[in-house]
Amino acid sequence: MTDKLKEKLKNLTEPNKVHKKLGDFLEFLEDIIVLILLILLFVLSIMALYDIYLSLVKVKTKVYDLIPKFIYLFILIELFRLTIVYLKERRIDTSLIVKTTLIAVLREIIIKAPHFKPMDYIGIGVLTLILALMYYVPKYIFVSEAGFEIKQKPPRERKLRLKKTLKKVARTRRKS
């Protein structure tokens, strides 16, 4: 009986099994955290919709006051979509993050533009330019991750090259 218990304990504590079980557990915790985040984003979206509804029901609501609320809702939608992409593909879509950040910066510009100083306009212009470059440069200039692969010679060529190398090594050993 003790031998079986020792064997089970030994099998359980093998490094590759421990790492796999620990990795599976951490992945499960990560999924729970992302699920909680999705629920919070959903609740925030519902609250933002309700806030827009209340603003529309009021008689003297200016369109200028509604625009930031709509943009906030779009930001929440983009974050919701980003989280769903993460759950499906297990990767973070950086272009979607940059788009969401651009929307957030534009929202702040719309809200606070009348109160900006000249240096604020320069800073916002530089920030917007950098975000635009972060979005367009990887997308249109660099190769995308999905299409990226290390170019290797076909297996037949590798085998021939390996045979030639082995023959050379064998000849040099015979000579010496």
Side-chain angles (χ1 to χ4, degrees):
M1 184 74 168
T2 58
D3 291 335
K4 283 186 177 182
L5 187 62
K6 285 181 182 178
E7 186 66 32
K8 282 185 180 180
L9 186 62
K10 183 181 175 187
N11 287 338
L12 186 67
T13 58
E14 287 182 27
N16 58 349
K17 289 182 181 178
V18 170
H19 289 137
K20 181 166 178 10
K21 288 182 181 183
L22 183 63
D24 290 344
F25 177 71
L26 290 175
E27 221 173 270
F28 174 72
L29 287 179
E30 180 182 358
D31 286 343
I32 289 174
I33 291 169
V34 171
L35 182 66
I36 291 170
L37 180 64
L38 270 173
I39 292 169
L40 288 174
L41 283 171
F42 183 73
V43 169
L44 280 173
S45 299
I46 297 298
M47 289 171 56
L49 277 172
Y50 183 70
D51 187 36
I52 290 172
Y53 169 75
L54 289 178
S55 297
L56 287 173
V57 172
K58 288 182 183 177
V59 178
K60 293 189 177 186
T61 303
K62 298 177 185 175
V63 175
Y64 185 77
D65 295 333
L66 285 176
I67 292 173
K69 294 178 182 184
F70 275 103
I71 295 175
Y72 175 68
L73 187 61
F74 286 129
I75 292 169
L76 290 173
I77 291 168
E78 289 293 325
L79 289 173
F80 201 78
R81 187 163 21 135
L82 177 69
T83 311
I84 291 171
V85 167
Y86 175 76
L87 280 175
K88 283 182 180 177
E89 301 178 11
R90 289 286 185 204
R91 70 177 183 86
I92 296 176
D93 188 1
T94 53
S95 66
L96 197 55
I97 290 175
V98 172
K99 277 196 300 188
T100 307
T101 307
L102 268 169
I103 293 170
V105 168
L106 292 175
R107 177 182 180 268
E108 292 301 312
I109 291 172
I110 290 170
I111 293 172
K112 297 178 182 176
H115 309 292
F116 282 163
K117 297 174 184 151
M119 288 304 288
D120 293 337
Y121 285 111
I122 293 171
I124 296 256
V126 170
L127 177 64
T128 307
L129 177 68
I130 289 171
L131 287 171
L133 287 174
M134 284 176 62
Y135 179 71
Y136 284 108
V137 169
K139 193 169 187 170
Y140 295 106
I141 294 178
F142 297 125
V143 178
S144 68
E145 285 182 33
F148 182 78
E149 59 184 60
I150 298 174
K151 293 186 178 179
Q152 295 180 346
K153 294 186 177 183
R156 185 171 174 253
E157 287 183 31
R158 277 186 269 149
K159 285 180 183 177
L160 291 173
R161 199 172 69 217
L162 182 62
K163 283 182 182 179
K164 287 180 183 179
T165 306
L166 289 174
K167 285 181 184 178
K168 285 181 184 177
V169 169
R171 275 189 246 146
T172 54
R173 284 186 181 169
R174 282 186 223 149
K175 288 181 182 178
S176 49

